[in-house]
Amino acid sequence: MSHHDTTHQDVVDVLMADHREVEAIFVELETRHGTPEHRRQLADVVIAELVRHSIAEEAYVYPAARKALPDGDQIAEHEISEHADAERTMKELESLDPSDPRFDELLAHLTSTIRHHVQEEESDLFPRLRAAVAQEELVELAGKVQAAKKSAPTRPHPAAPDHPPANKLLAPGTGLVDRMRDALSGRPTSMQELREKQRH
């Protein structure tokens, strides 16, 4: 069974696909092409993607790391504090107009924080998880992560980083409220929604 059989994707495949998608949006934002409105929408999409991804990791991936790896607790705490830092940046970025000089500043900060985080996970945490956790469990985790992303919030709700994970502190239904607000405001939360919006 290869890792690339989509029906048996493991959790690392799923998370790395998220990483590639986020990176593609960062690259598009860095070219600084497009109208301010388009850049604002790209920023909204990348924020929504990152929030969903982080919440799924905190709910399922880091607990698996705590269990399977001897230094799992330290790794999990480190990753969660990086998420909290990124989330604070996203919260600030959320309300800024793209013409505000701080927009590009915060975006650059977010991009470098996330790239560092991705590089760490992909070079260290992910290979170690694959080595330490049974394949069936990795595949099962992939399903849980996909499901968590469907109900996760799409907007940052910064929690105190010393009370991980943030998702435990969010009222159930936060994701629902965010999705309703997004639908009403027309805020795109995925590249697919953004492309549909642009066609109209």
Side-chain angles (χ1 to χ4, degrees):
M1 183 86 57
S2 82
H3 273 313
H4 301 291
D5 176 352
T6 47
T7 50
H8 292 84
Q9 274 197 321
D10 74 12
V11 70
V12 173
D13 292 320
V14 170
L15 297 172
M16 283 176 69
D18 281 357
H19 287 171
R20 296 295 82 80
E21 195 166 334
V22 162
E23 176 58 27
I25 302 172
F26 280 153
V27 169
E28 191 174 341
L29 277 162
E30 281 172 331
T31 62
R32 302 199 180 184
H33 292 326
T35 59
E37 191 199 14
H38 180 62
R39 300 194 73 228
R40 174 68 266 171
Q41 291 176 336
L42 281 175
D44 284 341
V45 170
V46 88
I47 287 170
E49 287 285 350
L50 287 168
V51 169
R52 285 193 288 253
H53 178 83
S54 303
I55 284 173
E57 284 190 322
E58 290 183 22
Y60 297 109
V61 183
Y62 302 156
R66 288 179 194 274
K67 239 179 25 198
L69 306 174
D71 55 346
D73 280 330
Q74 282 148 290
I75 292 176
E77 296 305 330
H78 172 73
E79 302 286 349
I80 288 167
S81 75
E82 286 195 349
H83 280 176
D85 177 45
E87 193 141 16
R88 281 190 293 273
T89 306
M90 292 190 283
K91 193 76 209 160
E92 280 185 76
L93 190 57
E94 199 181 29
S95 54
L96 281 183
D97 194 84
S99 60
D100 189 315
R102 295 205 58 237
F103 182 87
D104 283 318
E105 233 171 86
L106 283 168
L107 193 60
H109 177 66
L110 181 65
T111 303
S112 69
T113 306
I114 297 298
R115 280 178 175 155
H116 161 82
H117 183 72
V118 162
Q119 203 266 321
E120 267 186 349
E121 285 192 332
E122 294 191 359
S123 62
D124 183 53
L125 175 61
F126 291 176
R128 291 178 63 200
L129 272 180
R130 269 188 176 155
V133 178
Q135 176 65 18
E136 301 80 75
E137 195 184 327
L138 291 172
V139 171
E140 195 182 314
L141 281 171
K144 287 179 173 170
V145 161
Q146 298 284 41
K149 283 169 59 186
K150 287 193 178 72
S151 61
T154 51
R155 294 167 182 266
H157 299 268
D162 50 343
H163 295 294
N167 57 321
K168 296 281 188 288
L169 301 177
L170 290 173
T174 312
L176 203 67
V177 173
D178 282 347
R179 280 174 161 66
M180 284 174 67
R181 271 170 62 192
D182 293 337
L184 291 170
S185 66
R187 172 185 189 254
T189 63
S190 69
M191 286 312 286
Q192 191 188 342
E193 281 174 35
L194 183 54
R195 288 190 197 104
E196 280 166 15
K197 230 182 123 116
Q198 286 168 331
R199 277 205 295 273
H200 296 312

